[in-house]
Amino acid sequence: MAAAQDVHVRICNQEIVKFDLEVKALIQDIRDCSGPLSALTELNTKVKEKFRELRHRIQELEQAAKEQDRESDKQVLLQEVENHKKQMLSNQTSWRKANLTCKIAIDNLEKAELLQGGDLLRQRKTTKENLAQTSSTITENLMGISRMMSQQSTPPGLSWMPTKNLSPCRGPSSWDGSSSQNIIAES
């Protein structure tokens, strides 16, 4: 029966080492993670699962140690269990630090993107102001050109003069003569 226990102990040790290495690899992935937050959350879910499996295997090893017949074997295995627990605690600390570092990096990245967005908003506002100014300038230039063309193209028999009885909207009866509308009329 001792051989079966030795095999079980070796398998537990191998699985503990395997899960420990997988946790360390995932912690490194978290350190390298640059976002988004959903990617970090997914990595954290995987780490939690590996820690759960690691904790379970350590408990199995501890139970196997307590079942040892010889006291010396029991003490050796309990010392291994303590070492594995210390290593797991060290990994948990590394995991927390990696998480904190990653979250700070993601926050800084999002902050930079928001600030960049603010620059775009300022640029857009400046662009709208520039467009309004350009539009106003173009309108003034067109009005000036229109006045110049009307002065140059008036035939000799026509002149500018106000009319009394013409209103473009309501007909001849509604115009009171106080308007400054001018139309071209024959002299």
Side-chain angles (χ1 to χ4, degrees):
M1 195 72 167
Q5 283 183 338
D6 287 344
V7 171
H8 181 69
V9 167
R10 271 189 260 130
I11 290 173
C12 276
N13 271 324
Q14 288 174 351
E15 288 180 346
I16 289 171
V17 169
K18 179 183 95 167
F19 291 132
D20 181 65
L21 291 174
E22 288 175 355
V23 165
K24 286 179 180 175
L26 287 168
I27 291 171
Q28 185 59 44
D29 290 345
I30 289 173
R31 283 188 189 111
D32 296 339
C33 179
S34 60
L37 201 53
S38 59
L40 178 61
T41 303
E42 184 179 325
L43 287 170
N44 280 324
T45 302
K46 291 177 183 178
V47 171
K48 287 176 188 175
E49 179 62 25
K50 294 301 175 185
F51 270 127
R52 188 189 62 72
E53 292 172 353
L54 179 61
R55 194 174 299 110
H56 179 70
R57 293 296 179 246
I58 291 172
Q59 288 171 350
E60 278 184 28
L61 184 61
E62 187 174 24
Q63 186 61 36
K66 291 176 182 178
E67 293 173 358
Q68 291 295 313
D69 295 332
R70 293 189 324 192
E71 188 62 31
S72 61
D73 291 343
K74 182 178 183 177
Q75 291 305 317
V76 167
L77 287 178
L78 287 175
Q79 184 59 45
E80 283 183 33
V81 167
E82 284 305 310
N83 290 340
H84 289 308
K85 285 181 179 181
K86 286 178 185 177
Q87 185 59 46
M88 188 173 73
L89 289 174
S90 172
N91 285 341
Q92 286 175 333
T93 302
S94 296
W95 177 40
R96 288 185 189 109
K97 287 179 182 178
N99 257 312
L100 184 60
T101 302
C102 184
K103 285 180 182 178
I104 289 171
I106 290 171
D107 286 347
N108 288 340
L109 182 64
E110 289 174 351
K111 186 181 196 181
E113 287 175 2
L114 283 174
L115 290 175
Q116 234 178 8
D119 289 342
L120 292 174
L121 184 61
R122 271 186 245 121
Q123 288 173 352
R124 199 177 311 135
K125 184 178 179 183
T126 303
T127 302
K128 284 182 180 180
E129 290 171 357
N130 288 344
L131 286 174
Q133 181 62 39
T134 302
S135 174
S136 178
T137 304
I138 290 172
T139 302
E140 289 174 11
N141 289 342
L142 286 173
M143 288 173 59
I145 290 170
S146 177
R147 281 190 296 269
M148 236 182 355
M149 287 175 56
S150 68
Q151 288 173 357
Q152 291 176 355
S153 65
T154 304
L158 299 176
S159 66
W160 285 98
M161 58 185 269
T163 61
K164 262 188 171 180
N165 296 329
L166 296 177
S167 173
C169 297
R170 297 187 195 128
S173 63
S174 66
W175 191 71
D176 62 1
S178 63
S179 174
S180 62
Q181 287 183 330
N182 294 327
I183 60 168
I184 299 177
E186 287 191 33
S187 312

